[in-house]
Amino acid sequence: MDNRIRYNDCIVFLIAKANQNAQRILKEQLKKFGLTTVQGLILGELFEEDGVTASDLGSRLVLDNATVSGVLDRLLEKGWIKKETDASDKRVQKIFLASRDDGRLINEMFQARKNANELVLKKLTLEEQILLKRFLRDLS
């Protein structure tokens, strides 16, 4: 019995290559902000709900604590976020956007994310796009 799977039939390879392409496109879209893709995701989450813990962010974005901690440190250095000690529990730090700026800059970042999505999905019909998103969620 032949168990060989050619690379162009290997789902792991195909997903990895699609991810590389999507990450390249998103990285290009976020370049003008000086952000990595993960930094952009975290800032987007903070825009949706400010004042969460690093652990909350990690859970939402399925990132480990070490990754979140490093990303938050770099965002703090760049002036994107601020940390405040929780009044009810001094051991907990809440993460906030440094400036809401009426959301203008974050909305520009969301637009860049939308542009990246459109570029990645441009070869697919609307139905294919919906199915792809559903399939990827099912695989996650």
Side-chain angles (χ1 to χ4, degrees):
M1 183 159 111
D2 188 358
N3 292 325
R4 289 180 292 178
I5 298 175
R6 300 263 316 147
Y7 75 92
N8 57 350
D9 286 324
C10 178
I11 193 67
V12 175
F13 175 80
L14 295 171
I15 290 171
K17 295 311 286 181
N19 180 55
Q20 285 177 341
N21 183 50
Q23 289 290 327
R24 179 186 53 74
I25 290 170
L26 182 56
K27 183 179 179 180
E28 183 65 32
Q29 291 292 315
L30 293 177
K31 187 190 305 185
K32 68 180 177 182
F33 303 101
L35 296 170
T36 66
T37 57
V38 176
Q39 289 171 340
L41 287 173
I42 287 178
L43 290 174
E45 282 303 303
L46 289 172
F47 185 74
E48 296 297 326
E49 183 180 353
D50 225 5
V52 297
T53 66
S55 177
D56 291 336
L57 288 168
S59 294
R60 289 179 194 180
L61 298 172
V62 195
L63 298 170
D64 61 72
N65 289 340
T67 299
V68 172
S69 179
V71 172
L72 291 176
D73 288 345
R74 287 184 288 286
L75 287 172
L76 186 64
E77 288 172 12
K78 292 180 178 183
W80 282 95
I81 63 167
K82 59 185 176 181
K83 296 181 180 181
E84 295 179 9
T85 302
D86 188 336
S88 62
D89 186 347
K90 302 290 186 216
R91 297 170 296 171
V92 175
Q93 285 200 319
K94 301 279 186 155
I95 315 299
F96 296 87
L97 291 174
S99 170
R100 299 269 322 163
D101 190 37
D102 296 326
R104 183 185 51 78
L105 197 55
I106 299 294
N107 279 322
E108 287 180 28
M109 188 195 62
F110 279 130
Q111 182 62 49
R113 187 187 295 176
K114 182 180 178 192
N115 293 346
N117 278 344
E118 290 171 357
L119 288 168
V120 169
L121 298 171
K122 70 183 178 186
K123 295 179 182 175
L124 304 178
T125 67
L126 180 58
E127 181 180 278
E128 290 169 333
Q129 291 176 26
I130 291 167
L131 286 171
L132 176 63
K133 288 177 189 176
R134 192 184 92 210
F135 294 152
L136 290 173
R137 285 184 191 116
D138 288 349
L139 290 175
S140 298

